[in-house]
Amino acid sequence: MRLRQILVDAALATGAAAAIFGGLPAVANADGAGMEGFAVVACLVPVVVIILLVVGLVCLLRIQREPRKDDEDPPSWMQSQDDWRGRPR
Amino acid sequence: MLLGILAPLAVTIVLETGMAALFGLRRRALAAVVSVNCVTNPPLNLLWMVLAWASVGFERVNSGGSRGGTVDVTPTFWGWFILGVLEVLVVVVEWRILVWALGRKDISSRKLLVVSAVMNAVSATLGTYVLSFVPS
């Protein structure tokens, strides 16, 4: 699984979460009923938390399965080797 | 109410990813830090909201005087103590998840523990300060 695909999936999931976050208050306030709208949002907060939790776990699972490389900056001796490789001859 | 989940998560991701980058973590490791925050931060904030709602570790202060006004819900000493315990728990959970996701081959377990502790300490202190400017 490539990192680009993980980022695309995460972006899509974030977009869905943002739509829920942005849409719910609008729906809740649409009828103008204070407590009724409040209750709708209050019930859906745990749902949104669970969605975020599942998205995070899925991303972690994909990261765990991805081949391991480039997690840290390469050590100095490797950087100098890269410089050597890139030098024109 | 939804802002109470979204705003802390956004601030935490920005601060913790920044701190992880300062420790030299890159690409896949930073993606893991963002993902692990999606796992730990929203449940923590939901629990904090439930504690405030149930007045466990919180006290209700009427700031409007005898004629009514607004009722502020502020954490007591025990509230901050509970938050401290939860933060320590989050550090351990995030450390173990990062070790599981990234493995011990590229980044040592000890380094991930230090990264987890420092980035959570920064987000708990600086994040609380930043969030004090966000209207609830």
Side-chain angles (χ1 to χ4, degrees), chain B residues 95-106:
Chain B
W95 167 49
R96 296 312 303 171
I97 291 176
L98 287 174
V99 169
W100 169 77
L102 300 173
R104 297 164 192 252
K105 188 179 174 184
D106 300 324

Side-chain angles (χ1 to χ4, degrees), chain A residues 3 21 24-25 38 41-42 45-46 48-49 52-53 56-57 59-61 63-64 66-73, chain B residues 1-2 5-6 9 24-29 31-32 35-36 38-39 42-43 46 97 100-103 106-107 111:
Chain A
L3 185 68
F21 276 121
L24 282 183
F38 180 82
V41 177
V45 165
V48 174
V49 170
L52 286 168
L53 200 143
L57 284 174
C59 285
L60 282 168
L61 198 62
I63 289 166
Q64 202 260 344
E66 195 192 19
R68 289 165 184 167
K69 58 179 181 180
D70 293 342
D71 280 345
E72 282 187 296
D73 283 335
Chain B
M1 189 177 289
L2 285 169
I5 299 289
L6 184 62
L9 178 62
L25 272 63
R26 294 289 179 267
R27 292 171 56 86
R28 202 173 65 102
S35 302
V36 85
C38 289
V39 172
L46 181 64
I97 291 176
W100 169 77
L102 300 173
D106 300 324
I107 308 174
K111 180 173 181 177

Side-chain angles (χ1 to χ4, degrees), chain B residues 1-133:
Chain B
M1 189 177 289
L2 285 169
L3 197 65
I5 299 289
L6 184 62
L9 178 62
V11 171
T12 302
I13 284 176
V14 169
L15 289 175
E16 294 200 7
T17 308
M19 287 307 300
L22 286 178
F23 271 91
L25 272 63
R26 294 289 179 267
R27 292 171 56 86
R28 202 173 65 102
L30 289 182
V33 169
V34 173
S35 302
V36 85
N37 275 302
C38 289
V39 172
T40 57
N41 191 267
L44 178 70
N45 284 302
L46 181 64
L47 183 60
W48 188 244
M49 287 165 72
V50 170
L51 290 175
W53 174 76
S55 295
V56 177
F58 286 80
E59 61 182 356
R60 295 175 185 277
V61 180
N62 194 340
S63 59
S66 59
R67 292 185 176 181
T70 57
V71 177
D72 293 330
V73 183
T74 54
T76 61
F77 169 77
W78 288 110
W80 292 117
F81 178 77
I82 291 169
L83 183 64
V85 171
L86 289 173
E87 283 289 345
V88 171
L89 200 64
V90 165
V91 168
V92 174
V93 169
E94 287 192 1
W95 167 49
R96 296 312 303 171
I97 291 176
L98 287 174
V99 169
W100 169 77
L102 300 173
R104 297 164 192 252
K105 188 179 174 184
D106 300 324
I107 308 174
S108 68
S109 174
R110 182 176 290 183
K111 180 173 181 177
L112 287 175
L113 175 60
V114 172
V115 170
S116 177
V118 171
M119 66 185 188
N120 276 291
V122 169
S123 74
T125 51
L126 196 58
T128 306
Y129 176 72
V130 171
L131 286 169
S132 66
F133 294 102

